[in-house]
């Protein structure tokens, strides 16, 4: 019974959704304050989601109806299950087994796959282009992002998240592996399609990318999935690179610090074209992370 | 750009909280038209020069210079040419009335003149009717 | 989800629905032949000085995501069908705001042949904002009036909440904005 | 070379072809040319690099004369040569000039659908302004056409074909699109991310202003022409008022001229700041939109305090100005300008040094100097490519002689250069406003202006923020004009955008569209079909001619 409560209410579903909405509100409010304007009210993101859920849902005729309805749910569940393995609020993750870091990364990119499928499924021009851009971007940042997150795992000699956190207690890997941290952070921006990597949902080119045809419930679920992915990504990077998370105060402090860094990058950079993002990732991202690994292996060899 | 965003982060937002703080429009602002029946001699120069057929003069008694001016606030383009053309200065644009929004079309027809004339006009003409000018399709 | 709930639950749900719709109206802007004076004033309401995001208003690109269609211009013959088509693509509940004297009643173009006249000959309009162009504050005033009109009319039993004058309702509709800013 | 020498040179060039030359005004030359050797005349002028075809005006001479007069206006700095061709009202034919001037193709289309004149040698003769369902055979600008009945008979416009075009994938950027503040329908044939073909269909903002202007009085037309375009409203009103004052030969008093130039410069600042924000927003840099529009509010407040409205200032009346620059408002303007100058310098730094911004602006849509000149483009887009052409300096009107403006030029010709030119023009406008405020001449604000204007015709050119604005006015002695022809600057830049769009990345097309600062409501016209075939077209010098000829609407 306690596990059920854990799963549905406290660190699991409802609380996580509210946390995701709070983080999204913090992001929008911060961006607004960067642009010298007031920004949304505290309950704004809750109102947005509730409005979307009660809105009429239109299924385009040319798309496969069942797939159209299921994909948002798949995206949402992908993000929610990824949250089970991550030390939210500094507490022990709900589930933990050897190798759960890889599973979390896979579940996080499940959402982008669902967005790509949704774009391909509703055959309007904008969604088709949005889907191709989302998937190209996925394949470009996925490898360097994964390598960057596996750096701390090598140092801690294990693939289990709370094991890594335990071994690296107090060691801020941010300092020892700075390149890995930078690539991980920018990879998270690519995953969340935050500008400068928001070509897949570029408002002025392809309206709303893969989600153009979605309205009401489907759009709400995709929106929530993105918010939860933001929280999970931030906790993951904070746990691995910033010396682990012991208590809620540390959790909020570190993740909000990362959020401020993300939002300020979002405010000052122009959106990159899709070929520029792929070029940036494969030419610089991969190279930097491999150099980081080389240094790691040499250092492991010396100390072993 | 980084210095820009952080300096504006610590500055107070420039947003003007409109419905709660209402700043006055400048003195020169061209808001809703106001007609002063006492000075009007019925020359209709303002109606001739209006580019949007927004003014109609209904004469009740020519000699006693008793008129009712029907002003269509929704057609008016707030260009103040009528104020410029009027030789007896009985038209002016109120600089403090600039919130004409409404949920129905019928709030926009304003009848100026003394109450007796307006009541007389309303029951005679009923709902506001557009002057059937050649160029304009009637309402 | 059309299960019939008992009276009290249904009312609470209805109240939450209206609350959400009032506090997060996403707008879609369409210029059906305007001289773009009103359009730059609409975009000006989103920039820092007037900042509509404090009411929860976001400019959306696709009709699917929008609740309120802000239409400017005297609907030229060429854009008449596109306006109808966009209106039909928007999911319910949807509202239309006609901004500018041209959208309200063909403003400065009565003599032009290629013009239908005013927007409500093509699609039903909920709020009119005359002006050439209306100031950004006047546009905000129009939108606030539209939002407060969505407030459920004070039911017969006065104990839920008393009949509010529009100005007071406008303050209450965005009242949280005061403390949180 | 002064106007006199230019006109003499033109006269000698056209001596063989013209049937009679007259000099109606000191800077204008009229040459009557038979339709048969019109192309020879145009080639003679163009061969000697004498000016560019500014526009082509059709005038219906009425039922009794039973003729239509077609005027080809070729402008070179402050001299204007007009080739006058008379054709019968029914079934008149005129040879096409698009092989000599690429833009002629668009003007001729307007002639075809507005007057019913047939143009030989033009490939694409489909509708330019009129809606798709407009009844065939009715020509709105002929005096006896019942336009109201024709408008009632107009059927709906058919939606774009949503299917695929054979092998190509069509991306419609429809009349409603976040990138477009105004309606226009673009269709880009795309394979992968690369654009292989581009078509544009505007006309969504065509309201029929030229016909409406013919049955309204001169005073009413003042406000009709001002609402052709909201952002450059003062430019339209000024061009119209200068024209009417030239017709009536009653110049406005010097103080009114100076105030008109002051408001024109303020409008240029507000229009360029607006464009800076929108163009950055198209490239995905929202923060610059927010900052530039926040600073734009300063100039909007000044305009509101000076003239009473933020956008349609209606500052002009025939023969003068409505509002005075009082001692109270002058310091307000100066304080606002100091803040604007400091912000403009900051934007100049951002536009030339911000690496992430330059990655989306440098090297996009590059235009060489000859290419821009051969395409006869206008405005800051042309000056960014290095061609020195600005009506305020070439043909100064009103008080521009007294308060001269220096021209801003750049040579790179790409998107970043256009940003730079427009920000520098803002700084230049701030400097000129300060000079005007210091030297504001004393005197009355307006003079008495008759209601009836004596018969005559005139040309009034004005430098709007987007380029040269061309007004042709003809009066017939009554209080209503006989003909008002408006040619707005954006129409001349469209061919450039479409040819540059072919081969560009899809993500670069919105910034490219925004780079010419298009004002659809200004030109509410244009359909150009540029299928571009499958191959990626390499842009060369003679492409404008070959391209113009190859326009076929399949």
């Amino acid at each position: 019974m306690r596990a059920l409560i854990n799963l549905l209410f406290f660190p699991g579903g409802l609380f996580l959704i509210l946390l995701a909405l709070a983080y999204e509100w913090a992001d929008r409010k911060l961006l607004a304050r960067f642009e010298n304007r007031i920004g949304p009210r505290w309950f704004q993101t809750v109102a947005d989601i509730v409005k979307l859920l009660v809105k009429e849902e239109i299924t385009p005729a040319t798309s496969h109806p069942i797939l159209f309805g299921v994909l948002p749910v798949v995206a949402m569940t992908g993000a929610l299950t990824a949250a089970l393995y991550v030390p939210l609020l500094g507490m022990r993750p709900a589930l933990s087994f050897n190798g759960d870091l890889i599973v979390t990364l896979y579940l996080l990119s499940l959402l982008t796959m669902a967005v790509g499928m949704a774009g391909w499924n509703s055959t309007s021009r904008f969604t088709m282009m949005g889907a191709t851009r989302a998937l190209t971007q996925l394949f470009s940042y996925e490898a360097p992002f994964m390598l960057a997150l596996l750096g701390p795992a090598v140092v801690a000699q294990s693939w289990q998240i709370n094991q890594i956190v335990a071994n690296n207690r107090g060691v801020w890997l941010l300092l020892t592996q700075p390149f890995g941290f930078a690539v991980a952070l920018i990879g998270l921006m690519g995953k969340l399609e935050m500008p400068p990597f928001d070509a897949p949902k570029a408002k002025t080119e392809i309206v709303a990318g893969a989600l153009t045809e979605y309205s009401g419930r489907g759009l709400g679920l995709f929106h929530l999935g993105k918010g939860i992915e933001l929280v999970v990504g931030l906790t993951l990077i904070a746990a691995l690179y910033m010396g682990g998370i012991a208590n809620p105060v540390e959790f909020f402090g570190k993740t909000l610090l990362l959020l401020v860094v993300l939002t300020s990058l979002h405010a000052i950079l122009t959106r990159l074209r899709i070929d520029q993002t792929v070029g940036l990732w494969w030419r610089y991202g991969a190279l930097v992370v491999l150099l980081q690994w080389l240094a790691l292996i040499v250092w492991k060899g010396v100390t072993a | 750009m980084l210095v820009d965003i952080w300096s504006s982060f610590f500055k107070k937002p420039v947003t003007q909280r409109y419905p709660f703080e209402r700043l006055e429009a400048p003195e020169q602002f061209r808001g809703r038209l106001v007609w002063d029946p006492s000075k009007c001699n019925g020359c209709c120069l303002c109606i001739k020069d209006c580019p949007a057929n927004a003014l109609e003069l209904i004469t009740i008694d020519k000699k006693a210079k008793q008129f009712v001016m029907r002003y269509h606030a929704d057609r008016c383009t707030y260009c103040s040419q009528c104020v410029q053309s009027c030789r007896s200065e009985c038209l002016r644009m109120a600089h403090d009335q600039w919130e004409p929004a409404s949920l129905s079309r019928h709030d926009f027809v304003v009848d100026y003149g003394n109450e007796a004339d307006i009541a007389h006009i309303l029951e005679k003409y009923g709902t506001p009717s557009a002057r059937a000018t050649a160029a304009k399709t009637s309402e | 989800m059309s299960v019939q709930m008992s009276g009290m639950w249904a009312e609470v749900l209805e109240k939450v629905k209206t609350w959400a719709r009032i506090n997060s109206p996403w707008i879609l802007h369409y210029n059906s032949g305007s001289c773009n004076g009103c359009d730059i004033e609409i975009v000006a309401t989103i920039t820092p000085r007037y900042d509509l995001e404090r009411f929860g208003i976001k400019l959306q690109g696709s009709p699917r995501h929008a609740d309120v269609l802000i239409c400017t211009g005297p609907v030229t013959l060429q854009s008449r069908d596109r306006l109808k088509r966009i209106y039909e693509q928007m999911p319910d509940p949807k509202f239309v705001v006609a901004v500018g004297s041209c959208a309200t009643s063909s403003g400065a173009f009565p003599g032009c042949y290629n013009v239908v006249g005013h927007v409500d000959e093509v699609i039903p309009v909920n709020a009119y904002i005359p002006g050439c162009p209306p100031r950004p504050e006047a546009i905000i005033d129009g939108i606030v009036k539209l939002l407060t009109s969505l407030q459920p009319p004070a039911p017969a039993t006065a104990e839920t909440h008393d009949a509010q004058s529009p100005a007071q309702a406008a303050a209450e509709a965005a009242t949280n904005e005061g403390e949180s800013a | 070379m002064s106007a006199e020498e230019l006109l003499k040179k033109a006269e000698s060039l056209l001596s063989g072809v013209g049937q009679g030359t007259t000099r109606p005004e000191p800077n204008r030359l009229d040459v009557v040319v038979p339709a048969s050797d019109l192309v020879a005349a145009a080639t003679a002028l163009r061969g000697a690099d004498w000016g560019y075809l500014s526009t082509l005006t059709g005038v219906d001479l009425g039922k009794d004369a039973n003729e239509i007069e077609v005027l080809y206006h070729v402008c070179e700095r402050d001299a204007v040569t007009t080739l006058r061709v008379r054709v019968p009202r029914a079934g008149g034919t005129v040879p096409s000039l698009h092989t000599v001037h690429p833009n002629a193709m668009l003007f001729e289309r307007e002639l075809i659908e507005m007057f019913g004149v047939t143009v030989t040698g033009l490939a694409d003769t489909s509708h330019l302004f009129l809606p798709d369902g407009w009844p065939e055979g009715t020509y709105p600008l002929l005096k006896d056409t019942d336009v109201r009945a024709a408008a009632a008979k107009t059927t709906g416009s058919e939606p774009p074909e949503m299917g695929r075009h054979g092998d190509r994938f069509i991306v419609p950027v429809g009349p409603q699109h976040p990138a477009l503040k105004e309606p226009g329908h673009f269709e880009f044939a795309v394979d992968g991310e690369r654009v292989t073909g581009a078509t544009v269909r505007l006309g969504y903002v065509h309201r029929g202003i030229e016909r409406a202007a013919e049955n309204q009085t001169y005073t009413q037309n003042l406000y009709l022409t001002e609402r052709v375009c909201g952002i450059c409203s003062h430019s339209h009103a000024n061009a119209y008022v200068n024209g009417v004052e030239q017709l009536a030969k009653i110049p406005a008093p010097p103080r009114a001229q100076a105030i008109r130039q002051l408001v024109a410069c303020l409008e240029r600042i507000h229009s360029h700041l607006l464009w800076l924000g929108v163009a950055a927003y198209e490239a995905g840099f929202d923060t610059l939109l927010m900052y530039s529009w926040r600073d734009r509010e300063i100039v909007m407040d000044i305009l509101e305090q000076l003239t009473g409205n933020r956008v349609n200032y209606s500052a002009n009346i025939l023969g003068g100005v409505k509002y005075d620059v009082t001692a109270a408002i002058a310091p307000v303007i100066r304080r606002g300008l100091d803040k604007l100058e400091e912000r403009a310098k900051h934007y100049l730094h951002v536009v030339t040094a911000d690496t992430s911004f330059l990655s989306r602006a440098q090297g996009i849509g590059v235009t060489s100097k000859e290419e821009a000149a051969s395409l006869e483009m206008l405005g800051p887009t042309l000056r960014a490519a290095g061609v020195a052409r600005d009506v305020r300096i070439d043909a100064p009107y009103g008080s521009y002689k007294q308060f001269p403006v220096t021209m801003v030029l750049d040579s790179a010709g790409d998107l970043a250069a256009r940003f730079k030119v427009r920000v520098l023009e803002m700084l230049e406008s701030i400097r000129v406003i300060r000079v005007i405020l210091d030297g504001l001449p004393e005197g009355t604000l307006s003079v008495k202006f008759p209601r009836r204007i004596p018969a005559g015709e005139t040309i009034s050119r004005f430098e709007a923020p987007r380029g040269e604005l061309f007004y042709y006015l003809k009066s017939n002695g009554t209080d209503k004009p006989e003909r008002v022809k408006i040619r707005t600057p954006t129409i001349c830049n469209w061919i450039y955008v479409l040819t540059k769009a072919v081969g560009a990345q899809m993500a670069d097309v919105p910034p490219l569209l925004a780079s010419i600062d298009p004002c659809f409501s200004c030109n509410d016209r244009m359909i150009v079909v540029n299928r571009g075939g499958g191959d990626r077209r390499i842009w060369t010098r003679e492409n404008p001619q070959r391209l113009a000829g190859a326009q076929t609407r399949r």
Side-chain angles (χ1 to χ4, degrees):
Chain A
M1 193 32 203
R2 195 178 176 297
L4 193 63
I5 295 170
N6 257 355
L7 206 60
L8 274 186
F9 295 104
F10 183 62
L14 196 60
F15 173 75
L16 185 60
I17 289 175
L18 290 179
L19 195 66
L21 291 180
Y23 270 65
E24 199 210 326
W25 172 77
D27 177 35
R28 273 172 66 181
K29 188 82 176 179
L30 207 57
L31 185 66
R33 280 298 158 87
F34 282 154
E35 287 164 0
N36 219 334
R37 50 191 178 87
I38 286 183
R41 299 162 293 195
W42 58 273
F43 55 84
Q44 191 52 57
T45 39
V46 175
D48 286 348
I49 293 298
V50 169
K51 179 210 75 177
L52 280 177
L53 293 178
V54 297
K55 205 144 176 58
E56 176 211 358
E57 168 108 37
I58 299 176
T59 315
T62 56
S63 70
H64 191 284
I66 303 159
L67 201 59
F68 189 83
V70 160
L71 278 173
V73 176
V74 165
M76 179 75 167
T77 43
L80 274 174
T81 37
L84 295 178
Y85 303 101
V86 166
L88 281 170
L89 280 177
M91 294 159 44
R92 212 170 45 69
L95 292 170
S96 178
F97 59 89
N98 199 353
D100 60 9
L101 181 60
I102 312 294
V103 169
T104 326
L105 289 179
Y106 164 71
L107 284 171
L108 280 179
S109 52
L110 182 67
L111 184 118
T112 327
M113 303 277 192
V115 167
M117 284 282 291
W120 176 81
N121 175 22
S122 41
T123 55
S124 110
R125 232 56 87 249
F126 301 128
T127 54
M128 202 73 88
M129 285 200 73
T132 38
R133 283 188 181 181
L135 294 177
T136 6
Q137 186 163 302
L138 174 70
F139 300 135
S140 65
Y141 71 74
E142 193 59 33
F145 182 58
M146 197 163 290
L147 278 175
L149 283 183
L150 296 185
V154 165
V155 168
Q157 309 272 326
S158 110
W159 298 115
Q160 211 168 345
I161 291 183
N162 53 18
Q163 206 65 33
I164 299 170
V165 168
N167 295 359
N168 295 347
R169 169 78 46 220
V171 175
W172 275 52
L173 284 175
L174 172 66
L175 310 172
T176 56
Q177 296 181 13
F179 295 118
F181 173 74
V183 168
L185 201 61
I186 295 174
L188 182 63
M189 286 182 84
K191 187 181 276 296
L192 299 169
E193 285 166 11
M194 283 175 85
F197 301 108
D198 64 342
K201 56 180 173 70
K203 199 194 250 276
T204 53
E205 289 147 29
I206 41 174
V207 185
L211 302 182
T212 317
E213 293 305 324
Y214 273 88
S215 66
R217 189 182 57 80
L219 187 62
L221 289 178
F222 270 121
H223 206 73
L224 262 180
K226 274 277 187 310
I228 292 165
E229 197 173 290
L230 171 69
V231 172
V232 169
L234 286 177
T235 357
L236 205 59
I237 294 181
L240 298 185
Y241 273 96
M242 293 161 88
I245 304 176
N247 48 51
V249 169
E250 215 173 303
F251 167 78
F252 281 112
K254 289 183 179 169
T255 39
L256 285 180
L257 183 71
L258 282 179
L259 187 68
V260 164
V261 171
L262 282 188
T263 315
S264 51
L265 281 175
H266 167 188
I268 57 170
L269 295 175
T270 319
R271 176 192 312 135
L272 293 174
R273 288 198 311 259
I274 192 69
D275 58 319
Q276 282 172 334
T277 32
V278 173
L280 175 91
W281 276 107
W282 281 117
R283 214 169 292 127
Y284 304 107
L287 189 67
V288 160
V289 107
L290 287 178
L291 278 180
Q292 175 71 54
W293 266 67
L294 196 63
L296 212 60
I297 292 160
V298 164
W299 179 73
K300 282 300 278 167
V302 164
T303 54
Chain B
M1 247 349 224
L2 194 62
V3 171
D4 237 353
I5 59 169
W6 280 105
S7 69
S8 64
F9 178 74
F10 290 108
K11 266 190 294 182
K12 193 170 150 324
V14 293
T15 311
Q16 178 198 320
R17 295 168 175 69
Y18 163 60
F20 309 102
E21 300 156 12
R22 186 174 183 282
L23 292 180
E24 262 322 306
E27 198 47 41
Q28 194 83 310
F29 183 75
R30 304 199 296 269
R32 182 189 290 263
L33 190 66
V34 174
W35 178 68
D36 168 9
S38 59
K39 296 192 219 147
C40 175
N41 58 21
C43 67
C44 290
L45 256 179
C46 54
I47 295 170
K48 229 148 80 72
D49 279 351
C50 173
N53 314 338
L55 286 172
E56 272 172 63
L57 196 71
I58 304 154
T59 54
I60 295 176
D61 175 356
K62 191 85 175 83
K63 281 184 298 310
K65 292 214 177 338
Q66 246 191 331
F67 305 106
V68 168
M69 172 76 78
R70 171 157 291 170
Y71 168 60
H72 295 269
D74 55 351
R75 286 190 218 152
C76 174
T77 58
Y78 302 93
C79 63
S80 87
Q81 176 61 37
C82 47
V83 176
Q84 196 73 23
S85 311
C86 178
R87 291 201 180 82
S88 44
E89 266 118 29
C90 54
L91 283 167
R92 70 172 177 78
M93 284 202 140
H95 76 274
D96 50 4
Q97 295 177 20
W98 41 266
E99 284 162 319
S102 109
L103 303 181
S104 86
R105 286 180 64 85
H106 301 301
D107 305 349
F108 296 130
V109 181
V110 180
D111 288 330
Y112 287 114
N114 53 49
E115 285 65 28
D117 303 343
I118 298 173
H120 170 61
I121 292 301
L122 281 185
E123 33 85 11
K124 191 163 158 222
Y125 286 104
T127 55
S129 69
R131 177 163 57 115
T133 51
K136 173 93 181 53
T137 53
S138 69
E139 212 133 343
Chain C
M1 222 270 283
S2 64
V3 62
Q4 206 28 12
M5 283 178 278
S6 66
M8 212 277 285
W9 273 108
E11 200 198 299
V12 166
L13 187 67
E14 202 45 48
K15 211 186 277 288
V16 167
K17 269 192 197 173
T18 349
W19 171 80
R21 283 190 190 120
I22 288 176
N23 283 308
S24 127
W26 288 358
I27 58 172
L28 171 78
H29 161 247
Y30 181 58
N31 164 351
S32 71
S34 138
C35 75
N36 74 35
C38 298
D39 307 287
I40 53 178
E41 293 295 76
I42 289 170
V43 178
T45 58
I46 295 164
T47 49
R49 181 165 173 198
Y50 300 103
D51 188 21
L52 273 184
E53 200 175 353
R54 56 195 166 94
F55 290 120
I57 290 172
K58 268 190 352 183
L59 192 64
Q60 290 297 331
S62 145
R64 287 277 192 278
H65 302 178
D67 306 320
V68 179
L69 168 66
I70 292 202
C71 184
T72 61
V75 196
T76 56
L77 295 179
Q78 178 75 359
S79 55
R80 173 179 51 187
D81 298 299
R82 290 303 161 74
L83 185 60
K84 246 188 242 143
R85 204 180 147 109
I86 285 169
Y87 182 71
E88 279 140 19
Q89 283 191 358
M90 284 166 66
D92 286 324
K94 50 191 172 190
F95 308 98
V96 176
V97 178
V99 174
S101 293
C102 296
T104 316
S105 69
S106 86
F109 306 108
C112 297
Y113 59 86
N114 199 28
V115 152
V116 165
H118 29 82
V119 173
D120 53 12
E121 273 188 31
V122 180
I123 49 175
V125 174
N126 301 84
Y128 302 88
I129 308 175
C132 188
R135 297 178 89 212
E137 285 105 331
I139 296 176
I140 297 175
D141 169 55
I143 294 175
V144 164
K145 277 185 182 146
L146 171 71
L147 294 182
T148 45
S149 77
L150 304 182
Q151 208 102 23
T157 55
E159 97 290 346
T160 41
H161 52 80
D162 51 8
Q164 287 152 329
S165 67
Q168 194 207 351
E172 195 249 316
T175 183
N176 297 318
E177 188 275 332
E179 324 119 22
S180 81
Chain D
M1 275 246 267
S2 78
E4 199 47 43
E5 288 138 9
L6 278 172
L7 289 179
K8 281 225 171 10
K9 182 165 177 250
E11 216 164 333
S12 63
L13 283 169
L14 294 170
S15 53
V17 182
Q19 278 165 358
T21 60
T22 53
R23 299 287 283 278
E25 277 168 329
N27 65 340
R28 274 181 55 219
L29 169 76
D30 278 359
V31 182
V32 178
V33 172
S36 51
D37 45 20
L38 170 67
V39 182
T43 330
L45 281 178
R46 186 60 198 264
D49 260 343
W50 199 95
Y52 56 94
L53 176 67
S54 191
T55 190
L56 165 151
T57 319
V59 182
D60 176 8
L61 299 180
K63 263 201 159 351
D64 40 16
N66 200 359
E67 268 188 336
I68 288 177
E69 189 174 26
V70 187
L71 313 173
Y72 294 80
H73 308 286
V74 183
C75 306
E76 172 63 12
R77 285 212 306 282
D78 52 0
V80 179
T81 309
T82 314
L83 308 174
R84 311 182 79 99
V85 179
R86 284 181 177 248
V87 285
R89 210 151 175 274
T93 58
V94 171
S96 168
L97 284 189
H98 69 265
T99 48
V100 183
H101 300 285
N103 282 333
M105 176 176 67
L106 315 173
F107 305 143
E108 278 150 5
R109 258 207 183 74
E110 176 186 9
L111 187 72
I112 294 167
E113 72 179 349
M114 287 296 170
F115 288 92
V117 173
T118 54
V119 178
T120 56
L122 189 63
D124 190 351
T125 58
S126 58
H127 273 316
L128 204 54
F129 308 138
L130 294 174
D132 299 340
W134 184 262
E136 283 315 316
T138 46
Y139 305 107
L141 279 184
L142 288 182
K143 296 286 182 195
D144 53 6
T145 313
D146 174 3
V147 266
R148 282 277 160 215
K153 285 208 295 284
T154 310
T155 56
S157 68
E158 95 291 337
E161 324 80 18
M162 290 311 278
R164 292 167 66 101
H165 274 261
D167 58 350
R168 273 207 303 276
F169 188 76
I170 299 286
V171 175
V173 175
Q176 186 272 322
H177 190 272
L180 308 171
K181 287 293 160 268
E182 299 160 86
H185 180 69
F186 301 84
E187 279 183 9
F188 296 105
V190 172
D191 70 43
E193 279 288 324
R194 190 158 294 286
V195 176
T196 55
T199 69
V200 68
R201 166 69 163 122
L202 293 169
Y204 288 91
V205 192
H206 175 61
R207 292 149 290 193
I209 283 181
E210 287 176 11
R211 171 71 190 228
E214 281 165 15
N215 41 45
Q216 283 188 344
T217 64
Y218 281 102
T219 332
Q220 288 175 327
N221 276 341
L222 187 60
Y223 301 102
L224 183 65
T225 53
E226 192 179 35
R227 280 159 180 78
V228 166
C229 156
I231 310 178
C232 41
S233 62
H234 186 71
S235 310
H236 280 274
N238 251 1
Y240 173 78
V241 160
N242 289 348
V244 176
E245 279 160 10
Q246 275 164 23
L247 279 176
K249 296 188 175 44
I250 304 173
R255 187 175 179 88
Q257 304 268 16
I259 291 176
R260 280 182 187 162
Q261 184 180 354
L262 184 98
V263 178
C265 287
L266 282 171
E267 174 181 71
R268 180 173 289 271
I269 297 174
H270 124 70
S271 168
H272 282 334
L273 266 175
L274 176 140
W275 173 82
L276 181 67
V278 169
Y281 172 73
E282 307 275 331
F285 196 13
D286 293 357
T287 322
L288 195 55
L289 167 77
M290 292 296 173
Y291 283 158
S292 60
W293 280 58
R294 173 196 62 189
D295 298 330
R296 179 174 158 264
E297 289 300 322
I298 301 169
V299 76
M300 298 302 266
D301 283 346
I302 293 175
L303 282 168
E304 191 170 42
Q305 273 159 30
L306 180 63
T307 63
N309 190 312
R310 288 162 54 100
V311 175
N312 289 328
Y313 327 124
S314 311
N316 294 333
I317 51 170
L318 296 174
V321 178
K322 278 190 193 139
Y323 313 105
D324 189 7
V325 177
T326 58
I329 197 158
V332 170
I333 298 180
R334 285 185 205 279
R335 264 201 314 279
L337 289 184
D338 299 343
K339 224 141 122 327
L340 272 175
E341 185 166 30
E342 173 232 331
R343 289 307 297 173
K345 287 203 172 73
H346 173 67
Y347 290 131
L348 187 63
H349 169 69
V350 165
V351 154
T352 45
D354 186 287
T355 46
S356 117
F357 176 82
L358 287 178
S359 70
R360 284 301 301 276
Q362 226 148 22
I364 312 279
V366 183
T367 335
S368 70
K369 191 171 180 185
E370 305 74 30
E371 196 181 338
S374 76
L375 271 178
E376 290 173 1
M377 293 160 58
L378 289 173
T381 326
L382 184 70
R383 292 194 283 277
V387 180
R389 197 178 279 163
D390 184 333
V391 181
R392 294 173 301 174
I393 294 136
D394 299 344
Y397 40 80
S399 60
Y400 280 87
K401 299 190 197 63
Q402 210 180 351
F403 306 104
V405 177
T406 52
M407 194 183 292
V408 173
L409 278 176
D410 194 290
S411 57
D414 62 357
L415 190 53
R418 288 177 204 134
F419 271 99
K420 195 158 154 259
V421 162
R422 287 190 169 103
V423 174
L424 286 174
E425 271 188 8
M426 259 200 293
L427 286 168
E428 173 58 20
S429 295
I430 292 175
R431 182 190 67 75
V432 170
I433 291 177
R434 288 205 180 103
V435 167
I436 296 176
L437 281 178
D438 298 344
L440 201 60
E442 290 310 321
T444 63
L445 279 183
S446 63
V447 289
K448 184 104 189 50
F449 209 87
R451 276 194 172 278
R452 281 184 176 64
I453 308 290
E457 63 174 20
T458 183
I459 284 170
S460 153
R461 297 161 70 200
F462 190 91
E463 183 67 22
R466 279 155 198 75
E468 181 213 23
L469 183 61
F470 187 96
Y471 264 68
Y472 165 84
L473 292 159
K474 182 169 184 182
S475 57
N476 49 19
T478 66
D479 66 348
K480 291 187 167 68
E482 167 85 9
R483 173 81 168 99
V484 175
K485 161 73 187 177
I486 306 170
R487 194 276 294 144
T488 50
T490 313
I491 190 169
C492 298
N493 295 338
W494 274 115
I495 286 197
Y496 154 75
V497 164
L498 288 166
T499 44
K500 276 294 174 245
V502 174
Q505 291 272 355
M506 183 60 195
D508 281 334
V509 168
L512 200 64
L513 279 180
S515 76
I516 63 165
D517 196 350
C519 179
F520 299 170
S521 39
C522 259
N523 71 92
D524 60 32
R525 38 202 90 188
M526 265 292 305
I527 176 169
V528 165
V529 180
N530 167 10
R531 281 286 175 227
D535 56 346
R536 191 183 165 311
R537 185 177 296 271
I538 312 293
W539 184 255
T540 48
R541 170 90 176 68
E542 76 283 344
N543 259 37
Q545 277 73 24
R546 191 156 48 74
L547 167 86
Q551 299 303 333
T552 52
R553 181 181 174 106
R554 276 185 285 281

